[in-house]
Amino acid sequence: MKNTGTDEFPILKRNDFAPDFRWGCSTSSYQIEGAVHQDGRGESIWDRFCATPGHIRDGSSGAVACDHYHRWPEDLDIARSLGTNAYRFSIAWPRIFASGRGRVPNQKGLDFYSRLVDGMLERGLEPWVTLYHWDLPQALQDQGGWANRDTVDAFVEYTDVVSRHLGDRIKNWITHNEPWCTAFNGNFEGAHAPGLKSFKTALQVCHNVLVSHGLAIPVLRRNVPAVRVGAALSLHPLKPASDSAQDVAATVRHDGLRNRWFLDPLHGRGYPADIWAILGDNAPVVQAGDMQTIATPTDFLGVNYYFPEIVADAPGAGVMSTRVVEPGNVERTAFGWEVSPRGMITLLNRVARDYRPTEIYLTENGSTYHDVVTPDGNIEDLERRRYLQRHLLALREIVALGIPIKGYFAWSLLDNFEWAEGYLRRFGLTHVDFATQQRRLKLSGQWYGEFLRGDL
Ligand code: FCB
């Protein structure tokens, strides 16, 4: 389907957006790099987690992944060929400090990212770096991980080293990717590394991650001229399962932990009192000054948007007494996630209205489907292309509403290691044949390129 301007798909052009709008793709270190034993990289919590049978659906790991550690020039060439002007990636902390901290960083790890960043700049891609996209050094986990306050200090030291080495070339810094997932997927649901199942631990992790975000900001401001810093949150628009007072109240509670638990303290309002009151002795230990630290001003807010959630009251279901229910008759991706471009508008409208961030970037948005390689080697992912098109139309509406949205990063440049789902979920605009490491642009990627290059 070309962009012919039918009712179904009105004309959409890059020129509909500001010339300095950031267009990119997102990736993360553990999901694409592989080379886990190379050049002095230490063990991460994901290496350890994947080694336990049953943790990853297909029994795989990120040990090889997309072999991006060796193939990055080809991957950056693809990003350039699409016409993107920015690229979001993350740094593997265990490549910089194999055991999490120390007096001397691993020079080979720093050199790798230095080459990678130079490669981006050579190709006209503005680097957007994420310092923490979930691959904590295992050595720090052995001492309690993010639940241990010492990890906050280790993160600040790591931030200092990385920003002193790369701050001359990277202006845009994202401290953390999706603190909710770090805390709850990893420490309460046990579905992600480190695989713990404690609500109380998850809340302490959450708090320490937010404190580490705040403490990293002055370090970045000191080391990076004209730095721009923010965090990338996973946020969801929510709907009650019914009009009942119980479901409506449950939705407010769910919002309190899913969204407001991050947005409120980052914007200087402290933790939401309604949720704090429910937590009892699960509430985190907060030290004097922590809430001011978390509220340290940032330059932008990163939002990762995937799907809305429907919430019902569920007495007895954990501390929160809420339950996320399956949406009824709605369009979904292969992950079961509801496809809702409108939800993206609702969400950003709410964030802009309630928190007034000066700039918002969609730091992730994307979809997974069952891609089929045709006999002539094409991947005709019409559903992913449609998903992308419809979300970009929504993006244009978001701009028209006056919401300060300044960029969009598609998740993801490449099919990659999708955490607990292993290689069973493909999110890439580029197909990766994991047996041969061959890359092939899917139809969705071709369309993104046509849109960005102005070929439409
Ligand atoms: C987000 C993660 C990203 C990827 C997508 C599908 O929650 O940040 O790494 O797994 O989901």
Side-chain angles (χ1 to χ4, degrees):
M1 183 171 70
K2 282 288 258 183
N3 181 7
T4 48
T6 57
D7 283 351
E8 217 250 338
F9 188 70
I11 288 175
L12 180 71
K13 294 201 175 302
R14 184 178 185 159
N15 285 342
D16 298 343
F17 298 84
D20 64 348
F21 199 87
R22 301 313 203 280
W23 294 103
C25 293
S26 273
T27 60
S28 90
S29 47
Y30 190 72
Q31 293 179 277
I32 65 169
E33 285 179 0
V36 292
H37 299 299
Q38 207 162 333
D39 292 342
R41 177 188 178 279
E43 188 187 15
S44 82
I45 56 173
W46 274 93
D47 300 298
R48 181 71 65 91
F49 185 73
C50 293
T52 302
H55 279 168
I56 310 300
R57 269 225 298 154
D58 60 0
S60 67
S61 75
V64 178
C66 307
D67 193 30
H68 175 78
Y69 193 79
H70 301 109
R71 296 168 193 266
W72 61 265
E74 180 184 355
D75 296 337
L76 295 185
D77 283 346
I78 296 171
R80 177 180 52 186
S81 77
L82 295 179
T84 53
N85 57 13
Y87 175 72
R88 176 171 176 240
F89 69 110
S90 81
I91 294 192
W93 184 347
R95 288 199 194 281
I96 309 303
F97 289 106
S99 51
R101 60 201 308 183
R103 284 184 347 119
V104 187
N106 174 26
Q107 193 57 44
K108 287 187 174 165
L110 288 167
D111 289 347
F112 167 67
Y113 291 109
S114 189
R115 290 194 299 276
L116 187 65
V117 168
D118 286 344
M120 292 174 210
L121 295 172
E122 281 161 17
R123 291 167 178 80
L125 302 169
E126 179 182 52
W128 283 64
V129 69
T130 304
L131 285 161
Y132 187 76
H133 200 128
W134 307 352
D135 41 359
L136 186 72
Q138 179 63 39
L140 294 181
Q141 188 61 44
D142 293 343
Q143 291 154 39
W146 282 110
N148 180 347
R149 184 84 181 201
D150 290 350
T151 298
V152 173
D153 302 330
F155 179 75
V156 174
E157 291 162 20
Y158 155 69
T159 299
D160 184 42
V161 166
V162 173
S163 56
R164 273 192 285 112
H165 281 83
L166 301 175
D168 55 336
R169 285 157 290 161
I170 307 179
K171 296 287 165 244
N172 297 285
W173 293 73
I174 293 169
T175 52
H176 281 272
N177 180 69
E178 302 189 347
W180 189 93
C181 295
T182 300
F184 292 97
N185 287 151
N187 295 275
F188 174 49
E189 294 169 359
H192 283 184
L196 305 180
K197 292 191 177 166
S198 158
F199 192 56
K200 191 176 167 69
T201 303
L203 284 158
Q204 193 64 54
V205 164
C206 203
H207 180 69
N208 291 349
V209 163
L210 289 173
V211 171
S212 79
H213 155 85
L215 288 176
I217 296 170
V219 174
L220 291 166
R221 297 219 187 280
R222 191 178 66 226
N223 291 344
V224 184
V227 71
R228 289 156 39 78
V229 51
L233 304 180
S234 49
L235 300 176
H236 301 260
L238 306 177
K239 284 177 280 192
S242 77
D243 293 342
S244 75
Q246 288 82 353
D247 285 347
V248 171
T251 307
V252 172
R253 288 198 301 281
H254 189 72
D255 182 54
L257 198 60
R258 201 84 159 113
N259 298 320
R260 287 184 284 127
W261 197 255
F262 303 89
L263 288 166
D264 277 15
L266 288 171
H267 293 90
R269 300 180 194 173
Y271 287 120
D274 56 337
I275 305 306
W276 189 274
I278 299 170
L279 294 179
D281 66 2
N282 291 297
V285 175
V286 175
Q287 295 182 9
D290 280 358
M291 300 320 290
Q292 288 90 316
T293 298
I294 295 172
T296 303
T298 54
D299 303 290
F300 62 85
L301 176 68
V303 177
N304 293 357
Y305 171 69
Y306 288 96
F307 56 94
E309 282 179 339
I310 300 173
V311 187
D313 186 38
V319 177
M320 300 300 291
S321 306
T322 57
R323 189 165 55 90
V324 173
V325 301
E326 292 287 303
N329 187 22
V330 297
E331 191 184 335
R332 304 191 206 194
T333 69
F335 226 142
W337 297 351
E338 179 178 345
V339 177
S340 178
R342 191 120 308 265
M344 188 164 92
I345 301 174
T346 311
L347 175 70
L348 292 199
N349 219 348
R350 181 263 176 113
V351 168
R353 184 196 62 213
D354 291 356
Y355 298 96
R356 309 220 160 272
T358 44
E359 292 193 351
I360 305 175
Y361 291 83
L362 275 159
T363 33
E364 286 180 27
N365 172 242
S367 60
T368 181
Y369 292 102
H370 298 297
D371 296 333
V372 176
V373 184
T374 63
D376 45 359
N378 295 319
I379 297 91
E380 298 175 351
D381 60 335
L382 299 172
E383 292 161 302
R384 188 179 291 97
R385 184 174 69 177
R386 207 172 120 75
Y387 179 101
L388 177 61
Q389 290 172 335
R390 289 170 61 204
H391 283 78
L392 294 193
L393 280 174
L395 190 63
R396 189 170 65 182
E397 281 191 50
I398 291 167
V399 173
L401 287 169
I403 295 167
I405 178 85
K406 304 291 178 191
Y408 177 92
F409 293 82
W411 183 272
S412 179
L413 177 65
L414 306 167
D415 289 337
N416 58 48
F417 174 75
E418 178 48 37
W419 309 115
E421 301 285 315
Y423 297 96
L424 300 175
R425 303 287 180 207
R426 294 177 176 271
F427 274 89
L429 299 180
T430 310
H431 182 269
V432 177
D433 178 334
F434 291 103
T436 62
Q437 290 295 347
Q438 193 188 350
R439 277 84 161 128
R440 279 199 211 94
L441 211 52
K442 303 178 191 178
L443 274 192
S444 56
Q446 289 172 25
W447 182 83
Y448 197 37
E450 286 164 13
F451 164 73
L452 291 176
R453 293 188 308 262
D455 301 348
L456 291 173

